Amino acid sequence: MPLDLPFLDAIKGFEGFAPQASWDYKQHSNGYGTKALYPGETIDKDTAEQRFQTELEKAQAHVESVAPNAPPGVKAALTSLTYNAGPGWAQSGLGELVKAGDWAGVSHLMLSSSFRESAL
């Protein structure tokens, strides 16, 4: 399921555009928060867009594999989380709630301050 343009723009806005790679938590990143090929790599916006789309498709595929019946808003939130923090949430308490279809529990957990702090 393709994501709406405002959602894609929101992810890009959160990430920001950085043409030159710099250290970002676990890796060197550039573009819109995608993994750089090497430290200090410089890319243009077209390359950044291509990498963004590739990584977003991987994140969407992961969400679909874990939560094929999730409502669109939940899928969008989980896709953003997967893009930003990786797929580890699927093996956590959040993953258990998602697999159980407990959308109220998912929402409550994702809005909790302890979840937001642990997701950083």
Side-chain angles (χ1 to χ4, degrees):
M1 168 180 135
L3 297 172
D4 293 335
L5 185 58
F7 178 75
L8 300 175
D9 288 342
I11 293 175
K12 286 181 186 177
F14 296 144
E15 293 292 337
F17 174 73
Q20 185 166 7
S22 62
W23 187 251
D24 179 20
Y25 185 61
K26 293 192 226 179
Q27 66 187 23
H28 284 89
S29 298
N30 57 5
Y32 298 105
T34 57
K35 186 175 183 178
L37 298 180
Y38 53 88
E41 176 192 31
T42 300
I43 61 173
D44 59 24
K45 283 199 172 191
D46 289 338
T47 302
E49 182 67 32
Q50 180 183 27
R51 289 183 185 178
F52 173 75
Q53 290 297 329
T54 298
E55 292 305 313
L56 196 64
E57 287 171 13
K58 290 178 189 177
Q60 284 181 286
H62 178 72
V63 170
E64 279 298 323
S65 74
V66 175
N69 299 319
V74 172
K75 285 184 181 182
L78 293 173
T79 298
S80 178
L81 176 63
T82 304
Y83 178 84
N84 193 311
W89 62 265
Q91 283 73 48
S92 71
L94 175 60
E96 292 173 14
L97 292 169
V98 167
K99 291 170 189 169
D102 182 354
W103 311 127
V106 168
S107 176
H108 178 75
L109 180 62
M110 289 184 81
L111 293 173
S112 73
S113 60
S114 60
F115 177 78
R116 289 192 309 271
E117 290 168 7
S118 69
L120 298 176

